[in-house]
C-alpha cells in the first residue's frame, strides 16, 4: 500500500577530496513510499537548488541495477538495507515514518571521496586494465558454438560476470579489500576456455594491481558476499587464491 | 618474495602456520586426556617430551610458528586498518551471515596469547625449562615440591585453584571462537573451497573446534572436581 512518509536524511557533505566533511540533516516531507531512494535524493536536490543551496553530489546512471554507478552507504549497509539490490532499486517503503536515514559515501583508502557522496572508483578500472581481458587476433571470429563449454562451468562464469563493479564489497569490508570484485573478474574469464591461456598471468597481474592500489588483505569475514547487490559468492575468492598460489608455485 | 609482497601470499603464511598450530593443539589435547585415565601414562609422555634434544627442537619450531602467526597478524591488521581509510562510518551494521569471530580474530588472538603466557608460566616454566636448568624439584610455595617431569602433579596442583580454572576456561573459550573461523578460513585462503565445500568446511570447523576445546576443558574441570572430592 502506498502512503506518504516523512523522513530525515542525514547526509555526508564534503566540498572536495581534501576538505573536511560533516553530516547535514535534511527534513523530507510527504515522500510517497513508491519513490525510489535516488528519486528522493533528486527531490531533495531540486529543493536545495530552489533554495539557492549546492545540490548533493552522488553517482548514478542507469537506475535499473546494471551499471554499478550508484554507491550510497545507507544506514550501515552499502546499497541500503535491501539484499540483492542496488541503491537505485531500493524504495522508500523500506523506511519507517519519521526515521532518520544516514547516507555516507563508500569509505576506503582505495576509493577516496571526490565530493559529498561521490568517490573515485577508477582503481577498479586500473585493476581491469591489468588483466581483465582476453587477447585475441582480429579477423573473422569463429562460430560461438565451436567451443563447447559444460553448462555448470558456463553458469559459474555467468554468476561471476554478474558483478557490476560498484565497489560495495570494498565498502562493506572491514579490511577495505577488493577481493570479491577481483575474484569475480578473474573467475568470469579463467573459467572459460577462451580465458584459460592467460589464466595464471591474469590472476597474478590483477591481484598485484589490487595490492598496489592500497586495498586490504581479505580475512574471509564474508561481509562482501552478504552486501553484494549481485550476490557474488566468495567461492570465487577461493578460486582466485587457488589460481594465484598455483601460478606462484610454478614460477 | 610473494609471501611478503602480495596480500594472498601474506594470508598463505597465516593459513599454513595456523593449520600447523591446529595440528599441534590436536596432539596436545590428546596427550592431556591421558592424564584423566592414568597419571603414570601422562608422566611417561612428560618424560618423553622433557629436555630431550628432539623435544627441544620441536619446542623451538613451535615457538617459531607462534611468532610468525603473531607477527603476521599484527602486520596484516595494521595494513588493513590503513586500507580502511582515515574516515570511519558513522553507522555500521553486521550482516547476519557474518560470524562475530571473523571480525574479531585479532582481539581473540591477543586473548589466546595472554592465556598462552599464563600457561607457559604454569607448566612449561616448571617442567621443560626446570629440566633445562637441572632442577630436581620445583617449589610451588606452601611447602609443595613437585618434580619437573611429574606433569600429573602440576595439573592437579594448577586446577585445584579456582581462579586458574576460570582463567583457563575463558582462554579456551576465546580459542574456540578463534578456531571456528580460523579453520575454514585457512582452507579458503589456500583455495581449497567452493560453493559446496564452504558449508561443509564451516560445519567441520565448528565440530572440530568443539572436540578440541571440549577435550582441553574436560581435563581442567575434571581435575578441579577431583580436587574438591
Amino acid at each position: 500500500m502506498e502512503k506518504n512518509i516523512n523522513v530525515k536524511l542525514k547526509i555526508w557533505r564534503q566540498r572536495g577530496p581534501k576538505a573536511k566533511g560533516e553530516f547535514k540533516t535534511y527534513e523530507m516531507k510527504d515522500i510517497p513510499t513508491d519513490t525510489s531512494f535516488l528519486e528522493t535524493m533528486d527531490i531533495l536536490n531540486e529543493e536545495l537548488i530552489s533554495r539557492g543551496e549546492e545540490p548533493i553530489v552522488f553517482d548514478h546512471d542507469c537506475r535499473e541495477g546494471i551499471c554499478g554507478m550508484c554507491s550510497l552507504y545507507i544506514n550501515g549497509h552499502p546499497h541500503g538495507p535491501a539484499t540483492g539490490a542496488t541503491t537505485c532499486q531500493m524504495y522508500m517503503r523500506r523506511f519507517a515514518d519519521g526515521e532518520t536515514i544516514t547516507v555516507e559515501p563508500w569509505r576506503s583508502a582505495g576509493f577516496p571521496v571526490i565530493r559529498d557522496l561521490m568517490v573515485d572508483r577508477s582503481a577498479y578500472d586500473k585493476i581491469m586494465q591489468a588483466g581483465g581481458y582476453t587477447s585475441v587476433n582480429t579477423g573473422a571470429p569463429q562460430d560461438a558454438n565451436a567451443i563447447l563449454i559444460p553448462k555448470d562451468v558456463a553458469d559459474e562464469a555467468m554468476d561471476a560476470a554478474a558483478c557490476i563493479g560498484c565497489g560495495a564489497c570494498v565498502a562493506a569490508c572491514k579490511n577495505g579489500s577488493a577481493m570479491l570484485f577481483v575474484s569475480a573478474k578473474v573467475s568470469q574469464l579463467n573459467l572459460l576456455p577462451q580465458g584459460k591461456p592467460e589464466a595464471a598471468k591474469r590472476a597474478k597481474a590483477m591481484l598485484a594491481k589490487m595490492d598496489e592500489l592500497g586495498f586490504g588483505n581479505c580475512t574471509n569475514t564474508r561481509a562482501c558476499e552478504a552486501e553484494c547487490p549481485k550476490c557474488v559468492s566468495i567461492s570465487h575468492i577461493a578460486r582466485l587464491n587457488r589460481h594465484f598460489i598455483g601460478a606462484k608455485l610454478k614460477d | 618474495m610473494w609471501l611478503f609482497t602480495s596480500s594472498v601470499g601474506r594470508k598463505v603464511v597465516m593459513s599454513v602456520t595456523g593449520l600447523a598450530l591446529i595440528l599441534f593443539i590436536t596432539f596436545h589435547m590428546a596427550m592431556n586426556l591421558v592424564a584423566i585415565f592414568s597419571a603414570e601414562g601422562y608422566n611417561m609422555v612428560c618424560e618423553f617430551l622433557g629436555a630431550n634434544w628432539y623435544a627441544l627442537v620441536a619446542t623451538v619450531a613451535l615457538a617459531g610458528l607462534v611468532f610468525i602467526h603473531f607477527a603476521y597478524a599484527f602486520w596484516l591488521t595494521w595494513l588493513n586498518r590503513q586500507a580502511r581509510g582515515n574516515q570511519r562510518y558513522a553507522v555500521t551494521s553486521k550482516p547476519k551471515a557474518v560470524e562475530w569471530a571473523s571480525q574479531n580474530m585479532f582481539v581473540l588472538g591477543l586473548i589466546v596469547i595472554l592465556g598462552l603466557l599464563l600457561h607457559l608460566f604454569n607448566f612449561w616454566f616448571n617442567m621443560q625449562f626446570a629440566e633445562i636448568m637441572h632442577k630436581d624439584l620445583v617449589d610451588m610455595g606452601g611447602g609443595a615440591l613437585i618434580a619437573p617431569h611429574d606433569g600429573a602433579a602440576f595439573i592437579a596442583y594448577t586446577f585445584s585453584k579456582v581462579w586458574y580454572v576460570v582463567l583457563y576456561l575463558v582462554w579456551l573459550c576465546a580459542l574456540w571462537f578463534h578456531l571456528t573461523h580460523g579453520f575454514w578460513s585457512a582452507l579458503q585462503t589456500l583455495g581449497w573451497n567452493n560453493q559446496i565445500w564452504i558449508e561443509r568446511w564451516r560445519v567441520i570447523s565448528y565440530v572440530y573446534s568443539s572436540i578440541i576445546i571440549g577435550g582441553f576443558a574436560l581435563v581442567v574441570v575434571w581435575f578441579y572436581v577431583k580436587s574438591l572430592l
Side-chain angles (χ1 to χ4, degrees):
Chain A
M1 261 291 283
E2 193 197 355
K3 56 174 186 184
N4 288 3
I5 57 170
N6 300 325
V7 292
K8 285 193 189 111
L9 289 176
K10 191 180 161 199
I11 293 174
W12 183 258
R13 302 301 306 264
Q14 185 174 338
R15 291 287 299 174
K18 295 262 187 301
K20 196 171 151 38
E22 57 174 353
F23 281 105
K24 279 210 176 131
T25 306
Y26 303 91
E27 301 231 8
M28 304 288 291
K29 293 227 179 310
D30 279 334
I31 302 294
T33 49
D34 282 357
T35 315
S36 84
F37 193 80
L38 292 187
E39 283 167 341
T40 308
M41 295 290 290
D42 293 337
I43 295 169
L44 174 59
N45 272 349
E46 289 294 333
E47 283 176 17
L48 290 177
I49 291 166
S50 69
R51 291 209 300 256
E53 292 179 36
E54 283 282 329
I56 297 153
V57 175
F58 63 94
D59 267 328
H60 60 100
D61 191 16
C62 75
R63 300 211 177 190
E64 53 185 8
I66 54 172
C67 76
M69 275 314 282
C70 55
S71 57
L72 303 179
Y73 195 90
I74 304 160
N75 281 353
H77 294 278
H79 296 297
T83 51
T86 54
T87 298
C88 63
Q89 293 172 304
M90 192 187 48
Y91 292 82
M92 295 307 287
R93 65 180 83 98
R94 290 267 172 195
F95 302 100
D97 193 24
E99 190 174 343
T100 300
I101 305 166
T102 308
V103 189
E104 302 172 72
W106 286 175
R107 295 203 188 284
S108 159
F111 292 156
V113 172
I114 297 171
R115 185 164 179 175
D116 294 339
L117 302 171
M118 183 190 271
V119 297
D120 178 4
R121 284 174 285 176
S122 59
Y124 269 15
D125 296 329
K126 290 175 192 154
I127 293 172
M128 288 305 281
Q129 284 156 14
Y133 53 80
T134 55
S135 306
V136 290
N137 293 323
T138 53
Q142 60 179 318
D143 185 78
N145 289 321
I147 303 170
L148 295 178
I149 301 166
K151 173 85 165 76
D152 55 337
V153 174
D155 284 351
E156 181 95 2
M158 194 63 197
D159 287 346
C163 168
I164 52 176
C166 65
C169 42
V170 173
C173 180
K174 79 176 184 70
N175 309 314
S177 172
M179 282 294 273
L180 194 66
F181 166 76
V182 178
S183 68
K185 293 301 162 195
V186 167
S187 274
Q188 74 180 39
L189 296 173
N190 281 16
L191 277 165
L192 300 177
Q194 294 89 337
K196 283 254 171 6
E198 292 166 303
K201 191 178 134 202
R202 177 177 302 114
K204 282 190 288 183
M206 290 180 79
L207 195 95
K209 187 51 98 176
M210 178 195 106
D211 291 342
E212 179 197 321
L213 293 170
F215 292 102
N217 307 267
C218 173
T219 63
N220 306 321
T221 67
R222 307 182 83 180
C224 52
E225 181 182 60
E227 299 288 10
C228 175
K230 298 297 158 187
C231 306
V232 173
S233 159
I234 64 161
S235 64
H236 298 299
I237 297 183
R239 179 176 299 105
L240 170 60
N241 292 338
R242 197 156 64 232
H243 289 187
F244 179 82
I245 295 166
K248 283 292 179 188
L249 290 179
K250 248 185 216 160
D251 282 352
Chain B
M1 181 63 179
W2 64 286
L3 294 177
F4 299 98
T5 53
S6 77
S7 59
V8 173
R10 290 188 284 263
K11 296 284 301 154
V12 165
V13 173
M14 282 306 270
S15 303
V16 173
T17 51
L19 287 173
L21 290 170
I22 289 178
L23 197 63
F24 161 72
I25 60 167
T26 305
F27 285 119
H28 192 328
M29 186 276 287
M31 288 173 207
N32 283 10
L33 287 183
V34 175
I36 291 183
F37 299 107
S38 156
E40 283 153 39
Y42 185 72
N43 284 350
M44 275 168 72
V45 175
C46 291
E47 221 164 317
F48 177 67
L49 295 175
N52 310 307
W53 71 267
Y54 47 84
L56 289 174
V57 168
T59 306
V60 170
L62 190 60
L65 280 179
V66 173
F67 175 76
I68 294 170
H69 198 73
F70 190 58
Y72 265 72
F74 261 102
W75 188 23
L76 285 165
T77 305
W78 181 69
L79 287 175
N80 286 348
R81 279 192 72 84
Q82 279 192 320
R84 199 74 185 87
N86 298 323
Q87 191 78 44
R88 306 274 135 176
Y89 288 116
V91 181
T92 52
S93 66
K94 189 177 78 63
K96 267 191 239 90
V98 176
E99 295 162 340
W100 175 81
S102 73
Q103 299 196 310
N104 295 283
M105 288 298 273
F106 185 70
V107 176
L108 290 167
L110 280 184
I111 299 172
V112 171
I113 285 285
L114 288 177
L116 184 62
L117 292 178
L118 174 70
H119 182 56
L120 290 178
F121 166 74
N122 282 155
F123 292 95
W124 177 78
F125 179 72
N126 289 331
M127 296 171 72
Q128 195 181 58
F129 188 71
E131 278 192 46
I132 296 170
M133 304 311 280
H134 300 294
K135 275 196 193 176
D136 290 334
L137 284 172
V138 180
D139 187 0
M140 301 302 287
L145 292 169
I146 303 174
H149 54 80
D150 191 0
F154 281 110
I155 293 182
Y157 175 81
T158 308
F159 298 128
S160 66
K161 313 270 188 245
V162 70
W163 60 87
Y164 278 140
V165 173
V166 172
L167 284 176
Y168 271 71
L169 289 179
V170 169
W171 177 39
L172 288 172
C173 209
L175 186 59
W176 182 82
F177 276 109
H178 197 80
L179 289 183
T180 55
H181 177 69
F183 193 138
W184 77 260
S185 180
L187 295 161
Q188 161 85 7
T189 296
L190 293 176
W192 196 8
N193 213 344
N194 60 29
Q195 305 258 33
I196 297 165
W197 273 92
I198 188 157
E199 285 312 313
R200 290 182 185 168
W201 281 132
R202 262 162 46 80
V203 171
I204 292 169
S205 292
Y206 275 89
V207 172
Y208 196 77
S209 312
S210 303
I211 290 172
I212 291 197
I213 300 302
F216 279 124
L218 179 67
V219 174
V220 174
V221 173
W222 179 278
F223 280 92
Y224 179 63
V225 172
K226 221 174 157 187
S227 76
L228 295 178
L229 298 176

